[in-house]
């Protein structure tokens, strides 16, 4: 139930924070159970028809791609995280990384990034440039503001606490 609820929250976030014409291609970084659930839900609920994926564990990539293709979902494995993200409108990270996986702004213009894997102290999926741009644009949301300032991406950017909005505010905008 927890996995389904978390995947549902990601899909709800994607729906609220993007418009349907912005969701043409999605990249998912990480290829575990959560990534698979998210791709299945995005495919059926938001009609995203093309996905790219990458994981540090190549066997997870192969297994997930095969399982999703068997369900009729168009998923393309990538050899690097940068390759997976290139050209995507929506990037979702579902890893347990402790070092940034996504870095460099030049590849990620006009993109919505949902970093849901950074859920405990010490985890980190996004580089400083990506986070700085998001803070500048006023596009940093978290489920509970007090929690996100202690966990994941925002724990490295405490000087930007006033720029973090709770997800419910993004839902009200959408």
């Amino acid at each position: 139930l927890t996995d389904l609820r978390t995947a549902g929250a990601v899909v709800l976030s994607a729906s609220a924070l993007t418009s349907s014409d912005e969701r043409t291609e999605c990249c998912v970084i990480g290829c575990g159970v959560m990534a698979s659930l998210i791709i299945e839900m995005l495919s059926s609920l938001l009609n995203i028809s093309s996905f790219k994926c990458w994981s540090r564990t190549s066997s997870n990539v192969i297994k997930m791609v095969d399982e999703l293709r068997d369900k009729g979902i168009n998923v393309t494995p990538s050899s690097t995280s940068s390759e997976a993200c290139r050209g995507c409108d929506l990037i979702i990270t579902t890893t347990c990384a402790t070092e940034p996986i996504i870095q460099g702004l030049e590849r990620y213009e006009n993109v919505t990034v949902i970093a849901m894997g950074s859920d405990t102290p010490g985890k980190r999926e996004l580089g400083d440039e990506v986070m700085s741009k998001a803070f500048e644009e006023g596009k940093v949301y978290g489920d509970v503001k007090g929690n996100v300032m202690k966990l994941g991406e925002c724990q490295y950017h405490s000087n930007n606490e006033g720029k973090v909005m709770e997800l419910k505010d993004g839902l009200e905008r959408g």
Side-chain angles (χ1 to χ4, degrees):
L1 182 61
T2 298
D3 288 344
L4 289 172
R5 183 178 59 225
T6 302
V10 170
V11 173
L12 180 63
S13 299
S15 177
L17 301 174
T18 64
S19 65
S20 60
D21 61 333
E22 293 175 315
R23 294 185 232 122
T24 59
E25 188 163 30
C26 177
C27 165
V28 177
I29 303 295
C31 293
V33 171
M34 186 57 57
S36 185
L37 283 171
I38 289 168
I39 290 173
E40 285 185 59
M41 286 184 174
L42 287 170
S43 176
S44 64
L45 298 174
L46 297 186
N47 297 317
I48 297 174
S49 60
S50 180
F51 296 88
K52 293 185 201 176
C53 66
W54 177 82
S55 173
R56 292 173 293 204
T57 309
S58 59
S59 60
N60 287 356
V61 176
I62 293 165
K63 180 181 178 201
M64 186 182 83
V65 167
D66 288 345
E67 289 174 359
L68 291 171
R69 285 181 177 169
D70 286 347
K71 294 177 181 183
I73 299 173
N74 179 18
V75 183
T76 303
S78 299
S79 57
T80 66
S81 61
S82 294
E83 177 186 309
C85 293
R86 193 171 297 119
C88 291
D89 317 287
L90 178 60
I91 299 170
I92 299 169
T93 58
T94 66
T95 75
C96 56
T98 56
E99 295 293 324
I101 294 171
I102 298 179
Q103 300 191 48
L105 294 177
E106 70 281 354
R107 294 177 291 231
Y108 310 113
E109 293 296 321
N110 301 313
V111 170
T112 299
V113 179
I114 300 174
M116 53 86 48
S118 292
D119 57 357
T120 58
K123 287 187 177 181
R124 189 172 191 192
E125 298 174 313
L126 307 178
D128 288 336
E129 287 183 34
V130 176
M131 289 300 294
S132 293
K133 180 147 175 84
F135 281 119
E136 285 172 23
E137 295 178 356
K139 296 181 178 177
V140 178
Y141 295 90
D143 51 356
V144 177
K145 186 176 181 176
N147 290 347
V148 299
M149 294 311 301
K150 298 174 191 168
L151 308 171
E153 307 309 324
C154 292
Q155 68 185 305
Y156 303 100
H157 301 275
S158 59
N159 58 324
N160 286 303
E161 183 172 3
K163 297 179 182 177
V164 176
M165 294 174 279
E166 290 201 349
L167 184 56
K168 66 181 172 82
D169 298 327
L171 297 175
E172 291 169 0
R173 284 185 190 179

